[in-house]
Amino acid sequence: MGIFILRRIIVALSVALTISIISFMLLHLSGDLAASIAGPEATVEQVEQIRVDYGLDRPIINQYLDWLGGALQFDFGRSYYYQSTVVDLIVDRMPITLTLGGLALAIAVCVSIPLGVVAAIRRDTWVDRLALLFAVVGQAMPSFWFGLTLIVVFAVTLQWLPAAGAGNWQNFVLPAIALGYYATPAMMRLTRTGMLEVLESDYIRTARAKGLRAGSVIFKHALRNAVIPVVALAAVELGFMLGGSVVIESVFSLNGLGQLAWDAISRNDYPVVQAVVLIIAMFYIVLTLLADIANAALDPRIRTR
C-alpha cells in the first residue's frame, strides 16, 4: 500500500506541475500582457516601460520559473488591478467559496444517499424511475440556468430567500442548492448501484434468514458497505464543485474565489487568474488523492501491494 500511495503522490505532483505550466503559458501567449496592463490609451514608451517593470521582457521560461518559485513560497505576486498581494485577495475570498462548497456537498449527500437507497429497495417501481429521472434532469440541466430558476421562484416570486450577497446563512441557501444539485445525480446512481449489489450478497440473505428486521438489514449491514465508494466520490465531487463555483458565484453575486477569477479574467489581471486556477486545481488534486488513499485503505487487494 505504501508504494501505491507513493505513486499516487507522484502523479498528483506531476498533474499540479502540468496545470501550472499550461495555465501560465496560455495566459502569456494569449496576447501582449504589457499592452493589456497599460490600457488602450497608453503610448508605445509607456507599454515598453511596463514590460520592463513587470519583467515581461525576459524569456518566458525565466518568467515561469520565477513565478513557480514564488508560488512554492505562497507568493503569487501583486494584482495589477487591486494593487494588493494576490495571497491577501485569496485569503479574503476563500472562506465564501469553502462555505458554499461545504454546504453544497452536505445537500448533495443528504439528498443522494437516501434517494439511492429508496430507489434500490423499490427497484423497477415508479419510485425507482422517478429517482432516475431526477438524476437525468440534474445531470442535463446547466447549473447557471437552475440557479436563475431558483432566484425567480424563491427570491423574486415568493420572496423567501435573498437573491444575492453573502450577509448571512440565508444568502448561501439558493447557491448551495444550485451547486449541490450538480453532484447529486452521480452520487445517487452510485448509491443505488452499490445497494443493489450488496442486497444480492450472501451475508444479506443470511441476515434476513436469521430474522433481522428489514431496517437493520438495510441500514446497519447493507448501507455500511454500499456507501464506501460514495464517500470517495463525494471528495472528488467537492473538487468539481469548488471549480464550478465560478458560475454559481457570478449568478448569485458571491465574492468568493470564483467571482474573483471572473473579475480577474475580465480585467486582464493575470497574476490573480494564475493563482486561482492553481489553487482550485490543487483542491481537486488533493481531494482526489485522499479519495484514492481511502479506497486503498478499504480495498484488501491494494493494501497488499
Side-chain angles (χ1 to χ4, degrees):
M1 181 175 173
I3 297 177
F4 173 82
I5 294 175
L6 180 60
R7 289 175 180 171
R8 286 293 183 268
I9 292 175
I10 293 174
V11 170
L13 293 176
S14 301
V15 171
L17 181 63
T18 302
I19 291 174
S20 69
I21 294 173
I22 293 175
S23 63
F24 187 91
M25 296 302 175
L26 288 178
L27 287 173
H28 281 69
L29 296 177
S30 61
D32 190 344
L33 300 187
S36 300
I37 297 170
E41 299 179 358
T43 64
V44 176
E45 291 77 10
Q46 290 173 327
V47 173
E48 291 300 324
Q49 185 60 46
I50 289 176
R51 184 174 285 108
V52 173
D53 292 341
Y54 285 92
L56 300 175
D57 57 332
R58 297 180 302 152
I60 191 170
I61 185 64
N62 293 342
Q63 296 180 45
Y64 170 74
L65 292 176
D66 289 344
W67 176 83
L68 181 62
L72 293 175
Q73 303 176 41
F74 298 99
D75 180 9
F76 298 99
R78 294 183 65 85
S79 167
Y80 297 157
Y81 178 81
Y82 295 99
Q83 292 300 312
S84 174
T85 62
V86 176
V87 172
D88 290 340
L89 291 172
I90 291 174
V91 170
D92 183 57
R93 303 291 188 94
M94 188 177 293
I96 293 178
T97 299
L98 293 179
T99 301
L100 176 60
L103 290 174
L105 180 64
I107 291 173
V109 170
C110 292
V111 172
S112 61
I113 293 180
L115 198 60
V117 172
V118 172
I121 296 173
R122 304 296 182 184
R123 183 180 183 180
D124 296 331
T125 65
W126 67 269
V127 177
D128 186 19
R129 294 186 181 92
L130 185 62
L132 293 176
L133 177 63
F134 175 82
V136 171
V137 172
Q139 199 138 37
M141 185 185 304
S143 58
F144 73 88
W145 187 87
F146 185 49
L148 293 173
T149 303
L150 292 176
I151 291 176
V152 171
V153 174
F154 294 100
V156 177
T157 304
L158 299 177
Q159 297 184 356
W160 289 354
L161 295 166
N168 53 53
W169 65 270
Q170 293 177 330
N171 295 96
F172 288 92
V173 174
L174 293 182
I177 293 174
L179 190 60
Y181 191 28
Y182 169 81
T184 300
M187 296 171 63
M188 190 279 291
R189 287 200 304 269
L190 186 60
T191 303
R192 177 183 179 275
T193 302
M195 284 294 296
L196 289 175
E197 292 179 358
V198 171
L199 289 175
E200 297 295 329
S201 59
D202 293 336
Y203 76 92
I204 293 297
R205 285 194 289 267
T206 302
R208 286 172 173 169
K210 290 182 177 180
L212 295 180
R213 292 178 298 177
S216 177
V217 172
I218 292 172
F219 295 104
K220 186 177 180 180
H221 297 280
L223 183 60
R224 178 183 299 178
N225 293 314
V227 81
I228 291 174
V230 180
V231 174
L233 178 62
V236 176
E237 290 292 343
L238 177 58
F240 275 121
M241 287 189 288
L242 292 176
S245 65
V246 175
V247 176
I248 296 299
E249 289 179 6
S250 300
V251 171
F252 291 92
S253 298
L254 294 172
N255 290 322
L257 287 181
Q259 185 66 43
L260 178 64
W262 179 261
D263 293 339
I265 292 171
S266 62
R267 293 163 178 164
N268 296 324
D269 199 347
Y270 296 106
V272 176
V273 177
Q274 292 168 188
V276 172
V277 168
L278 181 62
I279 287 175
I280 291 178
M282 288 304 300
F283 269 121
Y284 177 76
I285 290 170
V286 170
L287 290 171
T288 304
L289 177 63
L290 293 177
D292 287 341
I293 293 175
N295 282 333
L298 297 171
D299 191 337
R301 295 171 298 178
I302 297 178
R303 285 201 304 264
T304 57
R305 295 182 185 177

